[in-house]
């Protein structure tokens, strides 16, 4: 077996999802793989070749596009078949959300194979595993984000999914979306970008978001941008166009329309009204 890449990771401070290590291996018939035991969950994606994986006492055939999971304290042995090397991306993880998510995908120690509905080497699962294998070692947040995307892709590209349970995972996804909005509102992000960041499709994130906040993801994004815009209008002398760009609007007209829809007046009128009010308060304070 010739190891291509392996990265050790430190996410010990997290509880929802912990990333320990990930890598890509090529197995050949010339070098047999020894049975190994893992203390964590390891998700594998076969990207080339074919062969067999022994998990516990059971043998499972694998080919490009195969996904299999080794649960903690299970023994795993990979046996390549044919002349072409057996190429596998893998990621070792743990955390509070991982077991419930695997069970939702009907993955158990006795049923560790996940059938995908897309051809081998295509789809988001393949793309995210490939991206993780080349992720920069020093950027642990980016690596962990890809792991969330992998879990989301597995869910969207298989037919064996149990109904989503309501619980802390729902709150985590919404908190993740809100955090992205608060950090990236000044960029030209869309609801689709936010959903991709969370590893969910747009409709599902929208449902979770409305259930938790009473607003759609789009409504929350616009309202937060307008709140920041109001602060700039009140506290700075920046031009309206500059403020529009600073809250994620490339077009000043689009910003003004969104502002008027939210507050019932143009940004300039709002600025005049609130500055006049501040001036009156200052005068009253001076008189008293």
């Amino acid at each position: 077996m010739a190891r291509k890449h392996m990265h050790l990771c430190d996410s010990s401070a997290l509880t929802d999802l912990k990333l320990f290590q990930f890598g890509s291996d090529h197995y050949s018939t010339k070098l047999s793989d020894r049975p190994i035991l893992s203390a964590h969950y390891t998700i594998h994606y076969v990207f080339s070749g074919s062969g067999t994986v022994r998990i516990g006492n059971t043998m499972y055939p694998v080919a490009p596009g195969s996904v299999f999971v080794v649960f903690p304290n299970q023994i795993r042995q990979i046996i390549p078949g044919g002349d072409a090397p057996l190429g596998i991306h893998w990621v070792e993880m743990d955390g509070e959300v991982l077991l419930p998510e695997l069970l939702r995908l009907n993955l158990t120690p006795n049923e560790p194979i996940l059938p995908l509905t897309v051809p081998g080497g295509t789809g988001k699962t393949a793309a995210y595993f490939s991206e993780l294998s080349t992720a920069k070692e020093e950027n642990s947040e980016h690596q962990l984000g890809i792991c969330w995307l992998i879990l989301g892709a597995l869910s969207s590209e298989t037919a064996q999914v149990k109904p989503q349970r309501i619980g802390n995972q729902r709150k985590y996804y919404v908190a993740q979306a809100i955090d992205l909005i608060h950090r990236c509102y000044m960029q030209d992000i869309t609801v689709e970008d936010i959903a991709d960041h969370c590893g969910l499709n747009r409709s599902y994130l929208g449902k979770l978001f409305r259930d938790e906040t009473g607003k759609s993801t789009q409504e929350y994004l616009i309202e937060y941008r307008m709140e920041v815009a109001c602060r700039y209008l009140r506290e700075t002398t920046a031009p309206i166009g500059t403020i529009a760009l600073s809250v994620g609007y490339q077009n000043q007209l689009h910003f003004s329309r969104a502002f008027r829809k939210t507050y019932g007046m143009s940004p300039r009128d709002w600025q005049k009204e609130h500055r006049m009010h501040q001036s009156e308060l200052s005068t009253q304070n001076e008189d008293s």
Side-chain angles (χ1 to χ4, degrees), residues 217-259:
T217 317
Q218 180 75 6
E219 288 170 344
Y220 188 94
L221 173 61
I222 292 174
E223 287 184 12
Y224 188 76
R225 282 172 164 167
M226 294 302 107
E227 289 177 12
V228 176
C230 286
R231 188 169 72 245
Y232 289 149
L233 289 167
R234 186 172 53 246
E235 300 175 2
T236 76
T237 57
I240 302 299
T242 300
I243 293 175
L245 287 172
S246 300
V247 295
Y249 286 86
Q250 304 301 310
N251 186 303
Q252 181 178 333
L253 180 59
H254 292 167
F255 166 70
S256 296
R257 286 175 178 170
F259 194 96

mmCIF file of all heavy atoms in Angstrom, residues 217-259:
data_model
loop_
_atom_site.group_PDB
_atom_site.id
_atom_site.type_symbol
_atom_site.label_atom_id
_atom_site.label_comp_id
_atom_site.label_asym_id
_atom_site.label_seq_id
_atom_site.Cartn_x
_atom_site.Cartn_y
_atom_site.Cartn_z
ATOM 1 N N THR A 217 -34.364 32.701 5.407
ATOM 2 C CA THR A 217 -32.940 33.038 5.365
ATOM 3 C C THR A 217 -32.725 34.354 4.641
ATOM 4 O O THR A 217 -31.922 35.188 5.070
ATOM 5 C CB THR A 217 -32.156 31.912 4.659
ATOM 6 O OG1 THR A 217 -32.622 30.639 5.094
ATOM 7 C CG2 THR A 217 -30.670 32.025 4.945
ATOM 8 N N GLN A 218 -33.438 34.564 3.540
ATOM 9 C CA GLN A 218 -33.314 35.797 2.772
ATOM 10 C C GLN A 218 -33.763 37.007 3.582
ATOM 11 O O GLN A 218 -33.105 38.064 3.561
ATOM 12 C CB GLN A 218 -34.132 35.686 1.485
ATOM 13 C CG GLN A 218 -34.089 36.917 0.596
ATOM 14 C CD GLN A 218 -32.774 37.044 -0.147
ATOM 15 O OE1 GLN A 218 -31.943 36.152 -0.080
ATOM 16 N NE2 GLN A 218 -32.585 38.154 -0.833
ATOM 17 N N GLU A 219 -34.871 36.876 4.301
ATOM 18 C CA GLU A 219 -35.360 37.980 5.122
ATOM 19 C C GLU A 219 -34.348 38.356 6.191
ATOM 20 O O GLU A 219 -34.097 39.538 6.448
ATOM 21 C CB GLU A 219 -36.699 37.604 5.767
ATOM 22 C CG GLU A 219 -37.867 37.560 4.790
ATOM 23 C CD GLU A 219 -39.106 36.948 5.403
ATOM 24 O OE1 GLU A 219 -38.996 36.285 6.466
ATOM 25 O OE2 GLU A 219 -40.189 37.114 4.810
ATOM 26 N N TYR A 220 -33.766 37.348 6.826
ATOM 27 C CA TYR A 220 -32.782 37.620 7.877
ATOM 28 C C TYR A 220 -31.551 38.311 7.301
ATOM 29 O O TYR A 220 -31.029 39.263 7.895
ATOM 30 C CB TYR A 220 -32.374 36.326 8.579
ATOM 31 C CG TYR A 220 -31.507 36.548 9.797
ATOM 32 C CD1 TYR A 220 -32.076 36.633 11.059
ATOM 33 C CD2 TYR A 220 -30.124 36.693 9.684
ATOM 34 C CE1 TYR A 220 -31.296 36.855 12.180
ATOM 35 C CE2 TYR A 220 -29.335 36.930 10.793
ATOM 36 C CZ TYR A 220 -29.923 36.999 12.038
ATOM 37 O OH TYR A 220 -29.152 37.240 13.156
ATOM 38 N N LEU A 221 -31.079 37.836 6.141
ATOM 39 C CA LEU A 221 -29.907 38.433 5.497
ATOM 40 C C LEU A 221 -30.163 39.902 5.171
ATOM 41 O O LEU A 221 -29.321 40.770 5.469
ATOM 42 C CB LEU A 221 -29.560 37.665 4.227
ATOM 43 C CG LEU A 221 -28.464 38.247 3.325
ATOM 44 C CD1 LEU A 221 -27.143 38.326 4.067
ATOM 45 C CD2 LEU A 221 -28.318 37.406 2.048
ATOM 46 N N ILE A 222 -31.334 40.206 4.588
ATOM 47 C CA ILE A 222 -31.658 41.595 4.225
ATOM 48 C C ILE A 222 -31.785 42.465 5.472
ATOM 49 O O ILE A 222 -31.244 43.581 5.532
ATOM 50 C CB ILE A 222 -32.950 41.643 3.388
ATOM 51 C CG1 ILE A 222 -32.723 40.995 2.021
ATOM 52 C CG2 ILE A 222 -33.428 43.082 3.224
ATOM 53 C CD1 ILE A 222 -33.972 40.864 1.186
ATOM 54 N N GLU A 223 -32.485 41.960 6.496
ATOM 55 C CA GLU A 223 -32.684 42.747 7.712
ATOM 56 C C GLU A 223 -31.359 43.053 8.396
ATOM 57 O O GLU A 223 -31.147 44.170 8.899
ATOM 58 C CB GLU A 223 -33.623 42.011 8.663
ATOM 59 C CG GLU A 223 -35.073 42.016 8.210
ATOM 60 C CD GLU A 223 -35.996 41.369 9.210
ATOM 61 O OE1 GLU A 223 -35.547 41.126 10.364
ATOM 62 O OE2 GLU A 223 -37.163 41.103 8.866
ATOM 63 N N TYR A 224 -30.451 42.073 8.407
ATOM 64 C CA TYR A 224 -29.167 42.326 9.055
ATOM 65 C C TYR A 224 -28.369 43.364 8.270
ATOM 66 O O TYR A 224 -27.738 44.257 8.849
ATOM 67 C CB TYR A 224 -28.367 41.028 9.173
ATOM 68 C CG TYR A 224 -27.114 41.207 10.014
ATOM 69 C CD1 TYR A 224 -27.200 41.284 11.399
ATOM 70 C CD2 TYR A 224 -25.861 41.323 9.415
ATOM 71 C CE1 TYR A 224 -26.075 41.467 12.177
ATOM 72 C CE2 TYR A 224 -24.725 41.510 10.182
ATOM 73 C CZ TYR A 224 -24.839 41.582 11.567
ATOM 74 O OH TYR A 224 -23.714 41.775 12.333
ATOM 75 N N ARG A 225 -28.390 43.260 6.946
ATOM 76 C CA ARG A 225 -27.704 44.256 6.117
ATOM 77 C C ARG A 225 -28.292 45.647 6.343
ATOM 78 O O ARG A 225 -27.557 46.640 6.409
ATOM 79 C CB ARG A 225 -27.830 43.868 4.639
ATOM 80 C CG ARG A 225 -26.882 42.754 4.212
ATOM 81 C CD ARG A 225 -27.170 42.267 2.819
ATOM 82 N NE ARG A 225 -26.052 41.486 2.273
ATOM 83 C CZ ARG A 225 -26.112 40.739 1.191
ATOM 84 N NH1 ARG A 225 -27.255 40.669 0.510
ATOM 85 N NH2 ARG A 225 -25.046 40.074 0.758
ATOM 86 N N MET A 226 -29.617 45.740 6.479
ATOM 87 C CA MET A 226 -30.243 47.033 6.695
ATOM 88 C C MET A 226 -29.872 47.602 8.063
ATOM 89 O O MET A 226 -29.684 48.824 8.214
ATOM 90 C CB MET A 226 -31.766 46.914 6.569
ATOM 91 C CG MET A 226 -32.263 46.557 5.167
ATOM 92 S SD MET A 226 -31.766 47.734 3.885
ATOM 93 C CE MET A 226 -30.510 46.769 3.011
ATOM 94 N N GLU A 227 -29.765 46.748 9.077
ATOM 95 C CA GLU A 227 -29.355 47.216 10.403
ATOM 96 C C GLU A 227 -27.961 47.829 10.366
ATOM 97 O O GLU A 227 -27.713 48.889 10.951
ATOM 98 C CB GLU A 227 -29.380 46.047 11.399
ATOM 99 C CG GLU A 227 -30.771 45.574 11.768
ATOM 100 C CD GLU A 227 -30.727 44.366 12.694
ATOM 101 O OE1 GLU A 227 -29.625 44.061 13.214
ATOM 102 O OE2 GLU A 227 -31.770 43.733 12.888
ATOM 103 N N VAL A 228 -27.050 47.143 9.675
ATOM 104 C CA VAL A 228 -25.690 47.666 9.554
ATOM 105 C C VAL A 228 -25.694 48.959 8.740
ATOM 106 O O VAL A 228 -24.998 49.929 9.080
ATOM 107 C CB VAL A 228 -24.754 46.624 8.908
ATOM 108 C CG1 VAL A 228 -23.362 47.202 8.703
ATOM 109 C CG2 VAL A 228 -24.679 45.370 9.760
ATOM 110 N N ALA A 229 -26.495 49.002 7.681
ATOM 111 C CA ALA A 229 -26.579 50.209 6.851
ATOM 112 C C ALA A 229 -27.071 51.394 7.679
ATOM 113 O O ALA A 229 -26.559 52.519 7.530
ATOM 114 C CB ALA A 229 -27.504 49.959 5.666
ATOM 115 N N CYS A 230 -28.036 51.168 8.538
ATOM 116 C CA CYS A 230 -28.547 52.245 9.384
ATOM 117 C C CYS A 230 -27.451 52.793 10.298
ATOM 118 O O CYS A 230 -27.371 54.016 10.526
ATOM 119 C CB CYS A 230 -29.724 51.754 10.224
ATOM 120 S SG CYS A 230 -31.250 51.525 9.293
ATOM 121 N N ARG A 231 -26.644 51.913 10.817
ATOM 122 C CA ARG A 231 -25.548 52.373 11.672
ATOM 123 C C ARG A 231 -24.572 53.247 10.894
ATOM 124 O O ARG A 231 -24.125 54.287 11.382
ATOM 125 C CB ARG A 231 -24.813 51.169 12.281
ATOM 126 C CG ARG A 231 -23.789 51.574 13.321
ATOM 127 C CD ARG A 231 -23.253 50.390 14.095
ATOM 128 N NE ARG A 231 -22.366 49.555 13.286
ATOM 129 C CZ ARG A 231 -22.626 48.308 12.931
ATOM 130 N NH1 ARG A 231 -23.768 47.740 13.296
ATOM 131 N NH2 ARG A 231 -21.777 47.624 12.190
ATOM 132 N N TYR A 232 -24.268 52.834 9.655
ATOM 133 C CA TYR A 232 -23.381 53.644 8.823
ATOM 134 C C TYR A 232 -24.022 54.993 8.478
ATOM 135 O O TYR A 232 -23.356 56.033 8.480
ATOM 136 C CB TYR A 232 -23.038 52.892 7.531
ATOM 137 C CG TYR A 232 -22.121 51.709 7.711
ATOM 138 C CD1 TYR A 232 -22.217 50.616 6.864
ATOM 139 C CD2 TYR A 232 -21.157 51.688 8.702
ATOM 140 C CE1 TYR A 232 -21.362 49.516 7.003
ATOM 141 C CE2 TYR A 232 -20.309 50.612 8.865
ATOM 142 C CZ TYR A 232 -20.411 49.520 8.007
ATOM 143 O OH TYR A 232 -19.571 48.450 8.155
ATOM 144 N N LEU A 233 -25.313 54.967 8.177
ATOM 145 C CA LEU A 233 -26.016 56.207 7.836
ATOM 146 C C LEU A 233 -26.056 57.168 9.016
ATOM 147 O O LEU A 233 -25.955 58.397 8.852
ATOM 148 C CB LEU A 233 -27.442 55.889 7.380
ATOM 149 C CG LEU A 233 -27.599 55.211 6.014
ATOM 150 C CD1 LEU A 233 -29.017 54.680 5.849
ATOM 151 C CD2 LEU A 233 -27.259 56.187 4.882
ATOM 152 N N ARG A 234 -26.183 56.639 10.188
ATOM 153 C CA ARG A 234 -26.309 57.463 11.399
ATOM 154 C C ARG A 234 -24.953 57.978 11.890
ATOM 155 O O ARG A 234 -24.850 59.098 12.386
ATOM 156 C CB ARG A 234 -26.994 56.645 12.493
ATOM 157 C CG ARG A 234 -27.318 57.410 13.753
ATOM 158 C CD ARG A 234 -28.175 56.594 14.708
ATOM 159 N NE ARG A 234 -27.587 55.293 14.986
ATOM 160 C CZ ARG A 234 -28.124 54.121 14.629
ATOM 161 N NH1 ARG A 234 -29.263 54.096 13.949
ATOM 162 N NH2 ARG A 234 -27.539 52.990 14.927
ATOM 163 N N GLU A 235 -23.915 57.151 11.746
ATOM 164 C CA GLU A 235 -22.647 57.449 12.411
ATOM 165 C C GLU A 235 -21.538 57.899 11.477
ATOM 166 O O GLU A 235 -20.459 58.274 11.955
ATOM 167 C CB GLU A 235 -22.187 56.217 13.197
ATOM 168 C CG GLU A 235 -23.172 55.784 14.272
ATOM 169 C CD GLU A 235 -22.766 54.496 14.967
ATOM 170 O OE1 GLU A 235 -21.677 53.957 14.620
ATOM 171 O OE2 GLU A 235 -23.507 54.033 15.843
ATOM 172 N N THR A 236 -21.742 57.831 10.144
ATOM 173 C CA THR A 236 -20.690 58.233 9.212
ATOM 174 C C THR A 236 -21.240 59.220 8.195
ATOM 175 O O THR A 236 -22.456 59.441 8.111
ATOM 176 C CB THR A 236 -20.113 57.017 8.453
ATOM 177 O OG1 THR A 236 -21.037 56.586 7.435
ATOM 178 C CG2 THR A 236 -19.821 55.858 9.395
ATOM 179 N N THR A 237 -20.323 59.790 7.429
ATOM 180 C CA THR A 237 -20.717 60.690 6.336
ATOM 181 C C THR A 237 -20.435 60.050 4.984
ATOM 182 O O THR A 237 -20.306 60.747 3.971
ATOM 183 C CB THR A 237 -19.942 62.018 6.448
ATOM 184 O OG1 THR A 237 -18.530 61.750 6.429
ATOM 185 C CG2 THR A 237 -20.305 62.749 7.725
ATOM 186 N N ALA A 238 -20.319 58.726 4.961
ATOM 187 C CA ALA A 238 -20.016 58.013 3.719
ATOM 188 C C ALA A 238 -21.159 58.174 2.717
ATOM 189 O O ALA A 238 -22.342 58.226 3.106
ATOM 190 C CB ALA A 238 -19.787 56.531 4.006
ATOM 191 N N PRO A 239 -20.851 58.243 1.422
ATOM 192 C CA PRO A 239 -21.895 58.315 0.389
ATOM 193 C C PRO A 239 -22.787 57.069 0.414
ATOM 194 O O PRO A 239 -22.356 55.994 0.856
ATOM 195 C CB PRO A 239 -21.089 58.390 -0.913
ATOM 196 C CG PRO A 239 -19.735 58.845 -0.513
ATOM 197 C CD PRO A 239 -19.491 58.311 0.860
ATOM 198 N N ILE A 240 -24.010 57.228 -0.050
ATOM 199 C CA ILE A 240 -24.961 56.112 -0.073
ATOM 200 C C ILE A 240 -24.397 54.941 -0.876
ATOM 201 O O ILE A 240 -24.533 53.782 -0.479
ATOM 202 C CB ILE A 240 -26.310 56.562 -0.676
ATOM 203 C CG1 ILE A 240 -26.891 57.725 0.130
ATOM 204 C CG2 ILE A 240 -27.295 55.387 -0.707
ATOM 205 C CD1 ILE A 240 -27.187 57.405 1.574
ATOM 206 N N GLY A 241 -23.735 55.229 -1.992
ATOM 207 C CA GLY A 241 -23.165 54.157 -2.812
ATOM 208 C C GLY A 241 -22.117 53.358 -2.069
ATOM 209 O O GLY A 241 -22.035 52.132 -2.218
ATOM 210 N N THR A 242 -21.298 54.044 -1.258
ATOM 211 C CA THR A 242 -20.268 53.354 -0.469
ATOM 212 C C THR A 242 -20.914 52.467 0.588
ATOM 213 O O THR A 242 -20.478 51.337 0.825
ATOM 214 C CB THR A 242 -19.341 54.376 0.199
ATOM 215 O OG1 THR A 242 -18.708 55.161 -0.811
ATOM 216 C CG2 THR A 242 -18.276 53.678 1.031
ATOM 217 N N ILE A 243 -21.956 52.977 1.225
ATOM 218 C CA ILE A 243 -22.666 52.181 2.238
ATOM 219 C C ILE A 243 -23.312 50.962 1.595
ATOM 220 O O ILE A 243 -23.279 49.864 2.158
ATOM 221 C CB ILE A 243 -23.718 53.052 2.955
ATOM 222 C CG1 ILE A 243 -23.007 54.127 3.780
ATOM 223 C CG2 ILE A 243 -24.633 52.190 3.833
ATOM 224 C CD1 ILE A 243 -23.940 55.123 4.429
ATOM 225 N N ALA A 244 -23.887 51.148 0.411
ATOM 226 C CA ALA A 244 -24.494 50.019 -0.303
ATOM 227 C C ALA A 244 -23.472 48.924 -0.546
ATOM 228 O O ALA A 244 -23.723 47.736 -0.282
ATOM 229 C CB ALA A 244 -25.094 50.498 -1.627
ATOM 230 N N LEU A 245 -22.290 49.289 -1.029
ATOM 231 C CA LEU A 245 -21.230 48.307 -1.266
ATOM 232 C C LEU A 245 -20.788 47.650 0.030
ATOM 233 O O LEU A 245 -20.462 46.462 0.056
ATOM 234 C CB LEU A 245 -20.035 48.983 -1.941
ATOM 235 C CG LEU A 245 -20.190 49.372 -3.412
ATOM 236 C CD1 LEU A 245 -19.005 50.202 -3.868
ATOM 237 C CD2 LEU A 245 -20.324 48.122 -4.290
ATOM 238 N N SER A 246 -20.784 48.413 1.106
ATOM 239 C CA SER A 246 -20.291 47.912 2.394
ATOM 240 C C SER A 246 -21.230 46.906 3.038
ATOM 241 O O SER A 246 -20.834 46.211 3.981
ATOM 242 C CB SER A 246 -20.058 49.091 3.353
ATOM 243 O OG SER A 246 -19.100 49.988 2.818
ATOM 244 N N VAL A 247 -22.472 46.846 2.564
ATOM 245 C CA VAL A 247 -23.411 45.859 3.107
ATOM 246 C C VAL A 247 -23.832 44.837 2.051
ATOM 247 O O VAL A 247 -24.868 44.177 2.187
ATOM 248 C CB VAL A 247 -24.653 46.551 3.724
ATOM 249 C CG1 VAL A 247 -24.258 47.377 4.935
ATOM 250 C CG2 VAL A 247 -25.381 47.404 2.690
ATOM 251 N N GLY A 248 -23.024 44.708 1.008
ATOM 252 C CA GLY A 248 -23.226 43.601 0.078
ATOM 253 C C GLY A 248 -24.021 43.893 -1.174
ATOM 254 O O GLY A 248 -24.357 42.963 -1.913
ATOM 255 N N TYR A 249 -24.330 45.189 -1.447
ATOM 256 C CA TYR A 249 -25.089 45.529 -2.642
ATOM 257 C C TYR A 249 -24.160 46.180 -3.662
ATOM 258 O O TYR A 249 -23.605 47.258 -3.418
ATOM 259 C CB TYR A 249 -26.233 46.488 -2.308
ATOM 260 C CG TYR A 249 -27.385 45.824 -1.590
ATOM 261 C CD1 TYR A 249 -27.379 45.689 -0.204
ATOM 262 C CD2 TYR A 249 -28.480 45.329 -2.295
ATOM 263 C CE1 TYR A 249 -28.430 45.089 0.463
ATOM 264 C CE2 TYR A 249 -29.535 44.726 -1.637
ATOM 265 C CZ TYR A 249 -29.505 44.597 -0.265
ATOM 266 O OH TYR A 249 -30.544 43.988 0.386
ATOM 267 N N GLN A 250 -24.002 45.532 -4.810
ATOM 268 C CA GLN A 250 -23.166 46.088 -5.857
ATOM 269 C C GLN A 250 -23.870 47.228 -6.594
ATOM 270 O O GLN A 250 -23.224 48.067 -7.205
ATOM 271 C CB GLN A 250 -22.797 44.987 -6.868
ATOM 272 C CG GLN A 250 -22.107 43.780 -6.247
ATOM 273 C CD GLN A 250 -20.819 44.136 -5.537
ATOM 274 O OE1 GLN A 250 -19.981 44.820 -6.115
ATOM 275 N NE2 GLN A 250 -20.665 43.688 -4.300
ATOM 276 N N ASN A 251 -25.183 47.247 -6.508
ATOM 277 C CA ASN A 251 -25.998 48.244 -7.202
ATOM 278 C C ASN A 251 -26.699 49.135 -6.171
ATOM 279 O O ASN A 251 -27.474 48.647 -5.347
ATOM 280 C CB ASN A 251 -27.017 47.536 -8.101
ATOM 281 C CG ASN A 251 -27.805 48.491 -8.977
ATOM 282 O OD1 ASN A 251 -28.451 49.401 -8.484
ATOM 283 N ND2 ASN A 251 -27.741 48.271 -10.287
ATOM 284 N N GLN A 252 -26.434 50.444 -6.232
ATOM 285 C CA GLN A 252 -27.013 51.358 -5.254
ATOM 286 C C GLN A 252 -28.532 51.397 -5.349
ATOM 287 O O GLN A 252 -29.228 51.516 -4.335
ATOM 288 C CB GLN A 252 -26.448 52.766 -5.457
ATOM 289 C CG GLN A 252 -26.974 53.785 -4.454
ATOM 290 C CD GLN A 252 -26.364 55.159 -4.649
ATOM 291 O OE1 GLN A 252 -25.256 55.281 -5.139
ATOM 292 N NE2 GLN A 252 -27.088 56.203 -4.253
ATOM 293 N N LEU A 253 -29.064 51.271 -6.560
ATOM 294 C CA LEU A 253 -30.517 51.295 -6.736
ATOM 295 C C LEU A 253 -31.168 50.105 -6.046
ATOM 296 O O LEU A 253 -32.207 50.250 -5.390
ATOM 297 C CB LEU A 253 -30.857 51.298 -8.228
ATOM 298 C CG LEU A 253 -32.350 51.319 -8.594
ATOM 299 C CD1 LEU A 253 -33.026 52.552 -8.001
ATOM 300 C CD2 LEU A 253 -32.524 51.275 -10.109
ATOM 301 N N HIS A 254 -30.553 48.930 -6.167
ATOM 302 C CA HIS A 254 -31.095 47.749 -5.497
ATOM 303 C C HIS A 254 -31.065 47.919 -3.977
ATOM 304 O O HIS A 254 -31.990 47.517 -3.265
ATOM 305 C CB HIS A 254 -30.291 46.508 -5.897
ATOM 306 C CG HIS A 254 -30.460 46.129 -7.331
ATOM 307 N ND1 HIS A 254 -29.644 45.209 -7.962
ATOM 308 C CD2 HIS A 254 -31.347 46.548 -8.274
ATOM 309 C CE1 HIS A 254 -30.013 45.074 -9.224
ATOM 310 N NE2 HIS A 254 -31.056 45.875 -9.431
ATOM 311 N N PHE A 255 -29.989 48.534 -3.485
ATOM 312 C CA PHE A 255 -29.895 48.799 -2.045
ATOM 313 C C PHE A 255 -31.009 49.753 -1.599
ATOM 314 O O PHE A 255 -31.680 49.517 -0.587
ATOM 315 C CB PHE A 255 -28.526 49.396 -1.728
ATOM 316 C CG PHE A 255 -28.441 50.018 -0.362
ATOM 317 C CD1 PHE A 255 -28.454 49.234 0.779
ATOM 318 C CD2 PHE A 255 -28.360 51.402 -0.221
ATOM 319 C CE1 PHE A 255 -28.382 49.814 2.042
ATOM 320 C CE2 PHE A 255 -28.290 51.990 1.025
ATOM 321 C CZ PHE A 255 -28.306 51.193 2.169
ATOM 322 N N SER A 256 -31.212 50.813 -2.355
ATOM 323 C CA SER A 256 -32.224 51.805 -1.984
ATOM 324 C C SER A 256 -33.621 51.197 -1.994
ATOM 325 O O SER A 256 -34.455 51.505 -1.128
ATOM 326 C CB SER A 256 -32.164 53.001 -2.936
ATOM 327 O OG SER A 256 -30.926 53.676 -2.815
ATOM 328 N N ARG A 257 -33.895 50.329 -2.959
ATOM 329 C CA ARG A 257 -35.199 49.665 -3.007
ATOM 330 C C ARG A 257 -35.407 48.773 -1.794
ATOM 331 O O ARG A 257 -36.481 48.765 -1.176
ATOM 332 C CB ARG A 257 -35.313 48.849 -4.291
ATOM 333 C CG ARG A 257 -35.532 49.680 -5.550
ATOM 334 C CD ARG A 257 -35.507 48.792 -6.785
ATOM 335 N NE ARG A 257 -35.765 49.553 -8.004
ATOM 336 C CZ ARG A 257 -35.615 49.059 -9.229
ATOM 337 N NH1 ARG A 257 -35.214 47.798 -9.399
ATOM 338 N NH2 ARG A 257 -35.868 49.815 -10.278
ATOM 339 N N ALA A 258 -34.362 48.000 -1.431
ATOM 340 C CA ALA A 258 -34.460 47.117 -0.265
ATOM 341 C C ALA A 258 -34.625 47.932 1.011
ATOM 342 O O ALA A 258 -35.397 47.563 1.907
ATOM 343 C CB ALA A 258 -33.218 46.232 -0.177
ATOM 344 N N PHE A 259 -33.925 49.060 1.108
ATOM 345 C CA PHE A 259 -34.015 49.917 2.295
ATOM 346 C C PHE A 259 -35.411 50.517 2.417
ATOM 347 O O PHE A 259 -36.016 50.518 3.495
ATOM 348 C CB PHE A 259 -32.964 51.027 2.202
ATOM 349 C CG PHE A 259 -32.755 51.756 3.494
ATOM 350 C CD1 PHE A 259 -31.737 51.395 4.350
ATOM 351 C CD2 PHE A 259 -33.588 52.816 3.859
ATOM 352 C CE1 PHE A 259 -31.537 52.066 5.551
ATOM 353 C CE2 PHE A 259 -33.409 53.483 5.057
ATOM 354 C CZ PHE A 259 -32.381 53.105 5.911
#
